[in-house]
Amino acid sequence: MDNKIYHRILIIGGGAAGLSVAAQLLRVGCKGVGIIEPSDKHYYQPAWTLVGGGIINREKSERQMAGLIPAGAAWIRDAVSEFDPAANRLKTRDGKEINYDYLIVAPGLQIDWHKIKGLPEVLGKDGVCSNYSYDTVESTWENIRNFKGGNAVFNFPLPPIKCAGAPQKIMYLAEDYFRKRKIRDKSKVVYYCATPTIFEAPKYAQALTEQVIKPRNIEVHFKHDLFEIRAASREVLVRNLDTGEIIVQPYDMLHVVPPMSAPDFVKQSPLANQAGWVDVSKETLQHVRYPNVFSIGDASSLPTSKTAAAVRAQSPVLVANLLSVLRGQQAAAHYRGYTSCPLVTGYGKLILAEFDYTLTPRETFPFDQSKERYSMYFLKRHIMPLMYWDGLLKGCQWPKLE
Ligand SMILES: Cc1cc2nc3c(=O)[nH]c(=O)nc-3n(C[C@H](O)[C@H](O)[C@H](O)COP(=O)(O)OP(=O)(O)OC[C@H]3O[C@@H](n4cnc5c(N)ncnc54)[C@H](O)[C@@H]3O)c2cc1C
């Protein structure tokens, strides 16, 4: 078997970032595009908040990868294991060597379930659930639905994580559901948040505090990091990051979000920065040491909130800059850090956060998006999935939410 393969443009990852870049490149007539992707399924992860809240079935978030790889791209069904960017070459898990002229690195991030002691053993059962994987997302709704009162505990780990709003969105849905079921008065809803504020961009942090957390009596502990689960006694251990004090918190249901990091094979490669992420210019998305390498999405070092919405703003910049480099020109298009987070605050309510690197709001609509609205919930529930499947993944430039 010939284990040596060549692609002029090689894309790592058939996720939101990889597929959208591939589709855009093919639309402008690029040839020799290959995508390395090990999974036969693609997941629309933003739907998992709604799955966990019992609003849609998890199957709605899953499609066959084969149907999404754009026509004209070669799918290499394998996983990258090692980079050799000085030689424009990489190795795969199955022992292939692949050469390229240009490389786009978009394998997403890795969820470090093991970094919370006791979590891998109990995940998805005995009151412990998480929206952060297809395999466990149904356990969230099961827990919310069957909650009879007591302590409902949620956490936000030390960042960066993907979709920094997701850990609190599911808490707001749960709290709303407990009200609807008339068990809110015998329930305590507690959020252990490793960061000092509820949300990065101040405008939305204030809105969440005033419109949601205070009036709905949600107990929030900032700079508190959940690090251990004791399933036998149904308790979690949480560290106060200022004082080091350890709190023992009993739970009746626990929605857990573990720390996340760059995939190990990226961390260990010459492409990584000190923190392990693919080391690219935050404006041009071009690698700082290897000019024929680009990265966007969750695996990249871009200092913005890691979302599919950010990918939507990043991918046309990457494509424009790659085309410039192919023509022998400088990468001149700039990404300003646009990201968005549809903060579901209850059944039928949503605050649509949109902001840039400076945390300045970059709102799409001609009204104040920091107010809870049904129209924005409708957008998340019914329109955004279409924008994802039929817009982003097909390389279409929809009117940008920017
Ligand atoms: C619960 C939850 C809620 C979210 N909510 C929102 C939201 O409301 N709005 C929003 O915009 N974003 C949301 N996100 C975040 C969004 O899903 C991600 O930011 C986005 O998918 C990132 O795209 P990506 O292509 O970088 O990574 P991914 O989409 O994760 O894709 C990475 C791909 O790389 C592949 N891969 C992995 N390892 C290798 C390897 N070794 N070789 C080759 N390929 C590899 C994977 O199989 C995968 O297909 C949410 C995420 C979660 C988990």
Side-chain angles (χ1 to χ4, degrees), residues 29 86 92 95 109 124 143 179 189 202 238 276 290 320 358 392:
T92 69
L109 54 66
N143 273 290
R179 275 175 201 277
V189 178
V238 182
Y290 303 99
T358 64
L392 183 71

Side-chain angles (χ1 to χ4, degrees), residues 88-109:
N88 293 339
R89 188 169 56 220
L90 52 78
K91 281 195 186 139
T92 69
R93 187 184 55 194
D94 294 352
K96 295 187 194 80
E97 270 192 13
I98 309 185
N99 291 280
Y100 57 83
D101 292 333
Y102 300 92
L103 183 69
I104 295 155
V105 188
L109 54 66

Side-chain angles (χ1 to χ4, degrees), residues 15-17 36-38 45-46 80 107 163 169 265 298 306-309 342 380:
I36 311 180
E37 167 59 61
Q45 301 165 45
V80 176
C163 193
K169 296 181 210 178
F265 76 99
D298 293 355
K306 295 179 184 298
T307 63
K380 158 91 184 155

Side-chain angles (χ1 to χ4, degrees), residues 21 78 102 118 131 144 156 165 175 198-199 253 262 267 330 335 357-358 385 397:
V21 167
D78 201 342
Y102 300 92
N131 278 357
I144 294 174
F156 183 99
E175 197 272 348
I198 194 74
F199 197 73
M253 82 155 265
K267 272 189 209 120
Q330 293 288 316
Y335 169 62
Y357 279 142
T358 64
Q397 292 302 315

